[in-house]
Amino acid sequence: MEKILSKVVPWLPSARRNPGAGESLSAEIRVLDDADTAALRALISVDPVVNIFMDAQLAVTGSARPGMGGSLILGRFHGTQLVSACWIGANVVPINVTAEDAEDFGHVVKSLNRTFASCFGPAEAVMGMWKVLIHGSQQAFSVRPNQPFMTLSGPPAVEPNPGLRLSTPAEYEKVLPACAKMFTEELGYSPLVNGGSYYRSRVRSLIHAGHSFIDMDDAGEIRFKAELGTVSSRATQIQGVWMAPEHRGSGLAAGYMAAAANRALTLAPTTSLYVNDYNSAAIATYRKVGFEEVGEFATILF
């Protein structure tokens, strides 16, 4: 532990740190810059499905340099070789971080004294970082250490429900409450507290991007919904899966998920998702559709 701490800039609890491009934060970890972009792309390509968040971010920014709003990417080097990385923004997202790397990244992230909405990714990396971040200034309200990570790369194993379709901008006022109900069930509080401007904007952007899927019941209310929360040219990630309570247990879920997967597979060759380990009904549905467990994620919610 003393060896790790000796490599890190001392933590300054009174001030958020905003290191610049290329700045060293420990003996092996520094902020990435433009010149590191190709190496970061190669690192992501080790597993572009697991690393979909960073793959999609890099497709937008085009560079590994620090971005608007203070977001940055930390990289760990062995000599001149980039071996692992970590996105730092509203969320903390490790990229190819091993158990050996995780605590070192945790100490560096802690030294920045930032606040985050979450830390998510492969369980080994997230829980290793959490060993350090648990002693930081920000308290977590939920720790989810075991979330099966599942993928599908071919036709679903059940017949897709033909009723599932893209939502339209005109249906925003229907989609938003359904999304908020799912969020509240999942996290225990409403995303619309204090107006929820970011959340409202996020829902609108998913609709406009063609990444929001719905089916409505005879009363014109949303029966099922799902979104593609992250999309790259190599993979998609299904998120926000929700069935209205009055329709649960009706046997519709697998058909809807098959339809969502089919739509996702028109955009990239593999679609993925991760799910809480205690949600046995959802896991059973995903398996029925043909999703296979290929790893384990973890999420820390702050």
Side-chain angles (χ1 to χ4, degrees):
M1 180 65 73
E2 290 179 357
K3 180 180 179 182
I4 293 174
L5 288 173
S6 70
K7 297 194 295 183
V8 186
V9 176
W11 183 41
L12 302 175
S14 61
R16 164 176 162 153
R17 296 192 61 241
N18 293 298
E23 183 175 336
S24 294
L25 300 178
S26 80
E28 295 183 334
I29 296 175
R30 65 170 172 81
V31 180
L32 299 187
D33 200 356
D34 273 323
D36 302 304
T37 302
L40 179 61
R41 290 188 192 280
L43 191 67
I44 292 167
S45 293
V46 171
D47 193 336
V49 180
V50 166
N51 295 324
I52 183 174
F53 177 87
M54 193 67 252
D55 202 14
Q57 289 286 338
L58 197 57
V60 172
T61 64
S63 173
R65 68 177 180 273
M68 297 290 290
S71 63
L72 50 87
I73 306 168
L74 307 179
R76 181 169 188 171
F77 291 80
H78 289 171
T80 60
Q81 183 180 3
L82 178 67
V83 295
S84 53
C86 188
W87 164 269
I88 307 295
N91 307 291
V92 175
V93 185
I95 302 116
N96 285 36
V97 171
T98 66
E100 294 178 356
D101 298 336
E103 291 190 39
D104 281 7
F105 272 110
H107 283 289
V108 172
V109 171
K110 181 182 168 187
S111 78
L112 300 177
N113 195 40
R114 296 184 172 207
T115 57
F116 313 103
S118 70
C119 176
F120 65 86
E124 179 180 68
V126 170
M127 299 312 295
M129 292 178 69
W130 179 235
K131 290 179 182 179
V132 178
L133 297 179
I134 193 173
H135 302 295
S137 60
Q138 194 176 5
Q139 293 186 336
F141 74 84
S142 182
V143 177
R144 303 177 181 193
N146 308 114
Q147 298 175 306
F149 181 74
M150 310 178 79
T151 63
L152 179 69
S153 298
V158 301
E159 189 69 23
N161 189 317
L164 192 74
R165 60 175 176 81
L166 295 178
S167 62
T168 69
E171 293 168 323
Y172 167 77
E173 296 296 340
K174 293 276 190 180
V175 176
L176 177 66
C179 290
K181 288 175 183 177
M182 181 282 305
F183 187 103
T184 302
E185 287 183 19
E186 177 73 11
L187 300 183
Y189 68 93
S190 172
L192 303 180
V193 173
N194 299 320
S197 59
Y198 174 80
Y199 191 79
R200 292 173 187 273
S201 176
R202 173 65 172 162
V203 172
R204 281 196 179 94
S205 70
L206 290 168
I207 294 172
H208 282 279
H211 297 162
S212 168
F213 311 135
I214 63 169
D215 186 31
M216 291 189 175
D217 60 23
D218 293 339
E221 298 300 323
I222 290 179
R223 176 162 38 205
F224 176 90
K225 71 144 197 100
E227 292 90 41
L228 298 181
T230 313
V231 176
S232 76
S233 63
R234 298 187 278 191
T236 62
Q237 193 164 95
I238 299 173
Q239 298 176 358
V241 176
W242 181 82
M243 180 84 77
E246 61 270 26
H247 296 290
R248 293 173 189 173
S250 59
L252 294 171
Y256 281 132
M257 280 303 301
N262 259 358
R263 287 186 171 273
L265 290 169
T266 66
L267 302 176
T270 298
T271 190
S272 69
L273 55 82
Y274 57 100
V275 57
N276 293 317
D277 62 337
Y278 52 79
N279 195 343
S280 56
I283 293 171
T285 295
Y286 302 150
R287 286 174 176 163
K288 183 176 181 180
V289 172
F291 282 86
E292 297 182 350
E293 294 177 37
V294 296
E296 188 171 64
F297 266 36
T299 302
I300 312 295
L301 298 168
F302 296 98

